[in-house]
Amino acid sequence: MVMIEKEIFELLYDAASIQRWNDHIRPHIGFTELDKQAHKMVFAYVLARTEETDRGVSINWRGIIEGGIFEFLHRLKLTDIKPTVYHELMKNKGSEINTWVLERLWDNIKELKKPFADNFKEYFFNTGYCALEKRILKAAHYLATNWEFGIIYNLNSTLYGLEQTRENIENEIEEHYDLAGVQKIKLGKKTHAFLDMVGQLRFQKRWAQTPRVPETSVLGHMLIVAMFAYLFSAEIEACDKRIYNNFFGGLFHDLPEVVTRDIVSPVKSSVEGLEEIIKDIEKRQVEERIFPLLPVAWHQEIKYFIENEFMSKIMKDGRIEFLTSNEINNSYDLNKCSPLDGQLIEICDKFAALIEASISISLGIKSYHLEEGRAHVYSKYSNSKVAGIDFKPMFDLFKA
């Protein structure tokens, strides 16, 4: 039976409480580590896909996904260290620090399906492991940081040391100019505009009708769903293409909200036929505003991720075929079928909502909306069995 411990899910949400640039003047809503990591993974997708489509480079996508999660967890254990200090520490005592981090994460990750824990070790202790993927993730890290810095700079232009910070970030980005995607982003044209648009999802808050702790953005939520989808896919030993589709399907599942904003479920279901109209508007807005910013070669894949995002599907003879995740388990868990578990992404989406409400309530910040939302999600989805996974034991962890 698949059963992931409660501490792992809660650990991922710790990033929503970590404030970035907290020695600078920031926008009122601030910058959280969760949002930064989410934006970074979108940058990583763009950089890696550009290497594939523009240069024919072979990418280890599992290395990108796992590396992103490894670095996310690593950062959680080294919170609030000033970047200049962090990089000097890693330069001089990197091995010792990585050992310390691994020791503190070990109890959380050792029970996950192999080879997660083994790959974690390899990633931080073997310099040759996923070398290209590490470079892509490092470039994505600095590009996401630079996106934040563009906002920080305007609020702190007279602050001592700010120009040195700008120079440090720009120097790190320049070290990655051999990546085609970095060159495109720095041109400031379409690719940059897409990533800028995605960044706006940092400012769209979940559960906007109620106070909640910690607050999470739509973009941060997208990464949480993606990581949940990865963890469950890995537990059932899904094929690599299925893991890729489930992670990035999760990461992009709310992308249309950048042009429509969040329309809460009660509104969608309040009038018969309204949800279909909203979906049609979303599709048209995405076609008109997002796809023109992306290479044509990527359009089919992005559509595969975001259209009918909660329906499980495969590619068969060049056409999309909808089926259940259980059917994928039985007959289509093959790279050539490009399986995507929309049903799994949906249950991860609802599970994330349950955890968001539960954490806030446990911290004493509760409201009618949170109490009702938690009860509704639990009642409707806790008995779900998707892709051979019984979700009841995990939903029970956050029932009350």
Side-chain angles (χ1 to χ4, degrees), residues 4-19:
I4 299 174
E5 294 184 0
K6 183 179 184 180
E7 288 75 18
I8 293 175
F9 301 120
E10 291 178 327
L11 178 65
L12 298 179
Y13 274 99
D14 284 350
S17 298
I18 300 172
Q19 289 291 321

Side-chain angles (χ1 to χ4, degrees), residues 116-388:
F116 187 88
D118 292 338
N119 287 353
F120 190 100
K121 289 181 184 177
E122 282 288 296
Y123 191 86
F124 288 107
F125 293 99
N126 181 351
T127 56
Y129 179 80
C130 289
L132 172 60
E133 290 70 28
K134 286 179 183 175
R135 277 187 57 74
I136 288 171
L137 286 165
K138 188 174 182 180
H141 161 79
Y142 282 108
L143 288 165
T145 296
N146 192 51
W147 188 91
E148 293 175 333
F149 183 75
I151 297 171
I152 293 294
Y153 185 84
N154 292 328
L155 297 172
N156 296 267
S157 57
T158 60
L159 194 69
Y160 176 76
L162 199 67
E163 290 302 328
Q164 184 62 53
T165 300
R166 183 216 287 269
E167 185 175 338
N168 291 342
I169 294 171
E170 290 181 347
N171 286 344
E172 290 292 346
I173 292 173
E174 186 176 328
E175 288 294 317
H176 298 84
Y177 256 64
D178 57 301
L179 297 173
V182 173
Q183 297 171 27
K184 284 190 173 183
I185 291 167
K186 292 302 289 180
L187 281 174
K189 302 299 182 181
K190 293 193 302 181
T191 306
H192 179 275
F194 169 71
L195 290 157
D196 194 41
M197 183 178 282
V198 170
Q200 294 175 37
L201 291 171
R202 289 175 173 229
F203 307 126
Q204 292 185 27
K205 292 300 177 184
R206 303 258 303 156
W207 302 83
Q209 74 275 40
T210 181
R212 185 171 58 88
V213 175
E215 290 187 340
T216 49
S217 71
V218 171
L219 186 58
H221 165 77
M222 288 157 65
L223 178 61
I224 290 287
V225 172
M227 291 191 291
F228 285 2
Y230 162 80
L231 289 172
F232 291 123
S233 300
E235 286 295 311
I236 62 172
E237 299 182 308
C239 70
D240 285 343
K241 187 64 173 178
R242 191 176 180 185
I243 285 176
Y244 169 88
N245 285 337
N246 289 349
F247 180 85
F248 287 106
L251 187 64
F252 288 114
H253 80 279
D254 278 337
L255 181 62
E257 289 186 16
V258 77
V259 290
T260 65
R261 297 192 185 172
D262 183 26
I263 303 171
V264 296
S265 296
V267 174
K268 292 178 183 177
S269 58
S270 61
V271 177
E272 185 178 352
L274 184 61
E275 188 163 2
E276 289 73 19
I277 294 172
I278 291 170
K279 281 291 184 184
D280 183 64
I281 293 171
E282 283 183 347
K283 183 176 180 180
R284 189 168 66 250
Q285 288 283 310
V286 168
E287 292 276 0
E288 293 174 358
R289 297 184 58 191
I290 295 179
F291 282 147
L293 304 178
L294 294 169
V296 174
W298 302 5
H299 288 190
Q300 183 177 356
E301 179 168 88
I302 297 295
K303 286 181 181 180
Y304 197 54
F305 293 153
I306 67 175
E307 292 184 5
N308 299 302
E309 71 276 20
F310 292 152
M311 295 180 67
S312 297
K313 50 201 165 187
I314 61 169
M315 293 296 295
K316 195 172 183 179
D317 300 324
R319 298 171 64 88
I320 298 173
E321 184 173 317
F322 296 103
L323 30 67
T324 68
S325 288
N326 289 337
E327 288 173 320
I328 291 176
N329 274 4
N330 293 334
S331 305
Y332 300 102
D333 189 12
L334 304 165
N335 290 331
K336 67 179 182 180
C337 297
S338 193
L340 190 159
D341 292 284
Q343 291 175 303
L344 179 62
I345 292 171
E346 180 180 27
I347 202 67
C348 290
D349 178 71
K350 307 311 179 192
F351 188 42
L354 179 76
I355 297 174
E356 288 165 359
S358 180
I359 290 175
S360 187
I361 291 169
S362 71
L363 293 173
I365 305 298
K366 54 186 174 181
S367 67
Y368 165 78
H369 295 290
L370 291 173
E371 295 276 15
E372 182 189 48
R374 179 171 68 171
H376 172 74
V377 170
Y378 180 84
S379 174
K380 187 171 182 179
Y381 296 98
S382 63
N383 290 316
S384 298
K385 294 182 179 179
V386 178

Side-chain angles (χ1 to χ4, degrees), residues 85-95 97:
V85 176
Y86 170 79
H87 294 305
E88 186 166 347
L89 289 173
M90 290 302 297
K91 180 180 178 181
N92 294 303
K93 292 289 182 179
S95 180
I97 290 172

